[in-house]
Amino acid sequence: MGTFASLLQKTGAEIREEQKEEFRERIEKLFQAGGMMELENIQLYGKKVVTMKKAAMHDYGMNFYYNYFEDACWENAGFSSKSVSVWSEKIGWREFHQVVVAAYVLESFYIDGPAAAIVDGNLIKSKIFVGWINYLFQEHYQQKINDPWVFFEALHEQMDIDLDGYNWSRFVQDVYGLIGYYEIRAVLLGTDAADKEFDRLLDSEKKDRQMTFFDYIKGIKIAVRKYHEESKRDNVEQLSIIMEMLRIFYEQGKKAFDICEKYEEMNLESVRFVIDLADAPAYAVKVIAEIYEADFWVLWEQIRDVAKRNHCLYKQKVPEETISVSTMDFLEITSDDMILFWGSDKNIQFSQELKNWFADLKGHFEKIMETEEVVNDSLHWILDLMEYADENYYRIYTFSDFFQETMENLGDRRFWALWRMYDEMLHDPELEKAGSVIFVPEGPEYEHVGLHYFGTPPRRRLKRNWDIMNKDERNNKARVTFRRYMALLENRKLRKEVFGF
């Protein structure tokens, strides 16, 4: 059980060598922009605390399980340097999910030939993923045109796939994809059954100009039967001629007419003409296989390397308008949630409320700096604060870089002042009350309420599983305040704007 994503691609397809480094760099940027984080466990003075940092590319690739915007952990996901590909396990359904799927969509653009991101077997058709990729990299990608027939053909070679049981309609994007689905049904069920199935479909839909494709497809059978019945050649020779014509048609276009003249088979020209209009090469071969009692896959092998849809090729030459979707729109978050990314995203415009908070923080910081108060054993004190934050507000992590910067500047009163402000926040009665909303109240009457744990129970128990916790409870005033404060301290450029260093 769970939600899984992957990349479906034609067997043997891969990223060209000269594009691998660019893809690797872009995947890292995408995962970072989407809030993917690596968590690090630190043990000092008998304390166990967790810090986080933006997921980064290592020799092996990338590996993470926490998303900053979703504020939740899922199963591991990342990037493999060895295979130059994205990988993932369970990805949930919120921000972690969105970012991983976008990574697969990006990979599909680098794959030669058909490739598509799928979630639980469903083709990802939403343009919002493409729009976010365009936003991140200033590109003009469009949703990749993927023919379900190509995927069917590729999976046909994998004997462990139940082709008949697969829901191929999930892969239909447009009328051209619908033709591919028609072909799949024809190969699986026979052309008569596929024709009846699509007759019912067309009866239930209002026909438009595009539906004439399906009239042409059914016309293939009429043309091939006429050729078969009126030709004076035997079946073996007829089959050889018609397959020769098909190959030349897909390789050289209208030069296939020369074959009709060569063999003086003008009914063959009718076959060529209607196949050109129908744009359904696999259906055509299936019709031929049925009429001549031949094996479809044996015949298909004769033209599979040249068979193509001319109308799909035309569509690729006339691109649609591209879209761009900001990170905030893609993940449905506000500018105030983007403190960590301020300075790297030009579209971040903080609210006046947040600006006022920054001003209050600056004023309080300056007052603390005017005092002569000091803390002995400041490292132990800081670790206590980090542990207290996690235990009493849940998953309130310090950023690894800021923690390391603090360790390198323990004698600097400016850093001490920042941690002093954090101490005051953590023990503020109003924030303590706001933060308690996610926990089971203390007292024997609540002993059987909320989540229970193996081994030694935590000091405070969550009311329910974090993944299904009410979003307003998760994003209570205390947790939002602490997460934003830590993001401000981590973002050196913004921290200098507010605190001067």
Side-chain angles (χ1 to χ4, degrees):
M1 298 293 290
T3 304
F4 294 88
S6 60
L7 184 72
L8 183 62
Q9 62 192 73
K10 193 169 182 179
T11 304
E14 60 181 19
I15 298 173
R16 290 195 297 271
E17 191 64 37
E18 63 270 20
Q19 290 188 304
K20 287 181 179 179
E21 185 57 33
E22 178 185 271
F23 174 59
R24 178 185 170 97
E25 292 173 356
R26 288 188 168 187
I27 277 293
E28 181 181 36
K29 180 176 179 179
L30 181 146
F31 280 140
Q32 290 183 347
M36 295 305 188
M37 296 281 166
E38 296 176 19
L39 301 184
E40 298 180 319
N41 294 306
I42 296 176
Q43 294 189 45
L44 288 170
Y45 291 100
K47 301 290 184 181
K48 295 181 180 180
V49 297
V50 177
T51 62
M52 63 181 171
K53 62 180 180 180
K54 291 180 181 179
M57 190 67 70
H58 304 277
D59 290 342
Y60 62 82
M62 301 180 74
N63 190 335
F64 48 79
Y65 55 85
Y66 178 77
N67 183 273
Y68 176 75
F69 295 115
E70 184 172 345
D71 190 15
C73 297
W74 285 96
E75 294 187 0
N76 294 60
F79 172 81
S80 169
S81 293
K82 183 177 180 181
S83 61
V84 195
S85 62
V86 177
W87 61 273
S88 62
E89 297 173 11
K90 291 181 183 178
I91 61 172
W93 60 92
R94 293 175 177 153
E95 288 86 345
F96 194 102
H97 171 119
Q98 289 288 93
V99 176
V100 170
V101 172
Y104 282 117
V105 173
L106 176 61
E107 183 175 353
S108 75
F109 291 136
Y110 281 85
I111 293 290
D112 282 336
I118 58 175
V119 175
D120 291 341
N122 293 305
L123 181 75
I124 295 302
K125 306 172 187 177
S126 174
K127 294 181 179 179
I128 191 172
F129 296 98
V130 182
W132 187 49
I133 291 169
N134 286 337
Y135 177 80
L136 291 180
F137 306 112
Q138 299 299 300
E139 287 284 6
H140 295 86
Y141 288 119
Q142 297 174 327
Q143 188 143 333
K144 198 166 186 177
I145 300 174
N146 288 303
D147 187 339
W149 166 260
V150 178
F151 294 125
F152 173 84
E153 179 191 13
L155 291 178
H156 163 72
E157 299 171 355
Q158 301 177 22
M159 301 307 292
D160 59 336
I161 298 293
D162 177 13
L163 295 178
D164 194 14
Y166 220 77
N167 185 358
W168 293 100
S169 64
R170 296 171 173 176
F171 293 83
V172 175
Q173 290 175 269
D174 49 26
V175 67
Y176 305 106
L178 197 57
I179 293 174
Y181 176 60
Y182 195 160
E183 293 182 300
I184 292 170
R185 303 304 288 169
V187 171
L188 290 174
L189 307 176
T191 57
D192 287 343
D195 291 345
K196 289 179 182 178
E197 183 177 326
F198 272 75
D199 281 340
R200 289 193 297 271
L201 172 66
L202 300 187
D203 287 341
S204 65
E205 301 283 344
K206 290 185 177 180
K207 293 186 179 182
D208 56 28
R209 289 182 301 145
Q210 293 176 322
M211 290 304 179
T212 57
F213 279 116
F214 301 100
D215 296 327
Y216 296 140
I217 289 173
K218 287 185 286 186
I220 294 174
K221 194 179 297 183
I222 298 172
V224 174
R225 278 178 177 162
K226 184 175 181 181
Y227 166 70
H228 175 245
E229 292 168 358
E230 295 184 3
S231 177
K232 296 179 181 179
R233 304 175 191 276
D234 62 31
N235 283 359
V236 174
E237 193 173 6
Q238 285 183 37
L239 180 59
S240 176
I241 291 172
I242 199 171
M243 292 305 298
E244 182 184 357
M245 181 276 293
L246 270 184
R247 182 164 186 89
I248 292 177
F249 168 69
Y250 287 119
E251 279 186 310
Q252 305 178 49
K254 297 190 184 306
K255 286 190 176 181
F257 182 75
D258 297 339
I259 297 295
C260 306
E261 290 187 325
K262 172 184 175 181
Y263 292 107
E264 297 181 350
E265 292 279 7
M266 296 315 297
N267 283 337
L268 195 61
E269 166 57 16
S270 297
V271 175
R272 184 209 63 79
F273 179 74
V274 73
I275 284 176
D276 186 14
L277 294 175
D279 219 20
Y283 182 93
V285 173
K286 180 62 177 177
V287 166
I288 294 167
E290 289 177 342
I291 291 175
Y292 290 95
E293 298 181 347
D295 182 276
F296 167 80
W297 292 107
V298 172
L299 296 184
W300 180 250
E301 194 63 34
Q302 297 179 35
I303 67 162
R304 66 179 297 182
D305 61 321
V306 295
K308 58 184 179 295
R309 298 197 199 288
N310 293 320
H311 296 287
C312 282
L313 294 176
Y314 172 75
K315 184 177 181 180
Q316 290 174 324
K317 293 177 182 177
V318 185
E320 299 175 358
E321 183 179 356
T322 58
I323 63 171
S324 179
V325 178
S326 72
T327 300
M328 288 171 283
D329 289 337
F330 177 64
L331 297 178
E332 297 182 350
I333 55 179
T334 69
S335 287
D336 290 357
D337 298 316
M338 296 281 288
I339 292 175
L340 183 63
F341 300 88
W342 183 87
S344 61
D345 189 323
K346 63 180 184 299
N347 288 329
I348 298 175
Q349 300 292 329
F350 295 134
S351 68
Q352 189 58 49
E353 180 183 7
L354 190 67
K355 292 177 181 178
N356 292 341
W357 183 59
F358 288 161
D360 290 342
L361 290 175
K362 179 180 180 179
H364 191 45
F365 171 78
E366 291 173 348
K367 287 182 179 180
I368 291 177
M369 288 295 294
E370 292 173 358
T371 69
E372 296 182 359
E373 182 184 359
V374 295
V375 174
N376 295 321
D377 197 1
S378 57
L379 176 56
H380 195 281
W381 169 64
I382 289 169
L383 292 170
D384 277 341
L385 293 180
M386 294 168 66
E387 186 179 60
Y388 184 88
D390 192 21
E391 287 184 350
N392 290 273
Y393 297 97
Y394 194 69
R395 285 183 180 164
I396 300 299
Y397 302 139
T398 302
F399 284 93
S400 301
D401 288 346
F402 178 69
F403 179 75
Q404 183 61 40
E405 191 181 2
T406 298
M407 296 303 97
E408 295 170 358
N409 296 275
L410 283 175
D412 190 328
R413 279 183 55 81
R414 295 175 300 175
F415 285 88
W416 170 83
L418 295 178
W419 284 100
R420 169 54 71 197
M421 292 170 65
Y422 190 44
D423 188 355
E424 293 175 1
M425 291 180 196
L426 291 174
H427 294 90
D428 179 274
E430 181 182 348
L431 294 179
E432 286 180 331
K433 181 179 179 180
S436 67
V437 69
I438 62 176
F439 295 109
V440 175
E442 295 182 356
E445 67 271 32
Y446 298 106
E447 182 179 350
H448 301 293
V449 178
L451 296 181
H452 290 268
Y453 304 82
F454 293 104
T456 304
R459 199 183 73 78
R460 305 188 74 180
R461 287 185 289 116
L462 291 173
K463 294 196 307 187
R464 59 183 65 86
N465 186 288
W466 189 250
D467 300 329
I468 60 174
M469 182 83 70
N470 180 286
K471 197 168 185 179
D472 289 337
E473 292 179 333
R474 287 173 49 161
N475 296 334
N476 60 69
K477 181 179 179 180
R479 297 192 77 260
V480 170
T481 298
F482 303 143
R483 281 166 49 80
R484 287 180 176 176
Y485 184 67
M486 281 298 160
L488 169 60
L489 302 188
E490 173 71 3
N491 189 330
R492 295 192 185 194
K493 185 175 181 181
L494 183 58
R495 190 180 75 202
K496 186 173 183 179
E497 289 283 324
V498 176
F499 298 115
F501 75 105

